[in-house]
Amino acid sequence: MFALFGLSACGDQAEHRSGSSSGPTPRTAEVVKPPVSVPATRSAPATTAPPELHFNRSMVRSNEVNKENKGGQANVELVAGSNDLKTLERVGRECVEVFLREQKAAFCKVFGNEADYKARDPRKAGDSNCWAWYVGVPLAGGEAMATEGGEVGYVAERCPGKLYR
């Protein structure tokens, strides 16, 4: 004849009481001691995303207004201080929105950094080829048009910032 015995690893107190009137069987707890010297661990500082960059007037490096007899057109150059093309485009669009409150037309040329801005041709004899975005609304109105610098003349070898590519 076979007898089956059930063993419990959990040591249920109720099992020990059933069949015995003397009370629960004492159990010894296993004590685990930590090592004598535990090196202090520093948790890495919480990484937070930088705040989203938006246009502000401190970014403006030049602002020429012309065509005043037609309502005015702002021609703005600004340095956003970012290397993210989507961010730079958004800053350019926000710049246009701000200057359209003052003029009938507005164009904002967005540079990612000071080095690229300084590499432009200040005499306006040639195009400033180190800008990331050229965004604007003409005197005729309509939606803002945006042109990425890489499409029309951004040449990484000639631009000191080299952020965009």
Side-chain angles (χ1 to χ4, degrees), residues 24-138:
T25 308
R27 299 177 60 189
T28 57
E30 181 180 330
V31 177
V32 178
K33 293 182 179 179
V36 175
S37 69
V38 177
T41 57
R42 295 183 118 186
S43 60
T47 56
T48 57
E52 193 171 89
L53 185 64
H54 292 280
F55 172 79
N56 66 63
R57 289 194 184 257
S58 69
M59 297 174 176
V60 174
R61 297 302 183 265
S62 74
N63 177 16
E64 278 184 24
V65 176
N66 60 8
K67 302 180 185 177
E68 291 181 66
N69 60 340
K70 296 179 181 181
Q73 175 176 305
N75 298 297
V76 180
E77 292 183 334
L78 66 98
V79 175
S82 174
N83 64 353
D84 180 68
L85 281 173
K86 290 192 182 293
T87 298
L88 296 172
E89 179 184 10
R90 182 184 62 249
V91 167
R93 290 180 182 277
E94 292 170 352
C95 171
V96 168
E97 287 176 25
V98 167
F99 284 93
L100 281 177
R101 293 181 201 140
E102 302 167 8
Q103 309 298 327
K104 187 174 180 182
F107 287 88
C108 295
K109 195 173 283 186
V110 183
F111 295 84
N113 58 62
E114 288 290 338
D116 282 349
Y117 174 72
K118 289 177 181 174
R120 79 200 188 296
D121 182 0
R123 294 170 292 148
K124 310 278 187 209
D127 192 20
S128 303
N129 61 343
C130 293
W131 47 268
W133 286 96
Y134 186 60
V135 184
V137 172

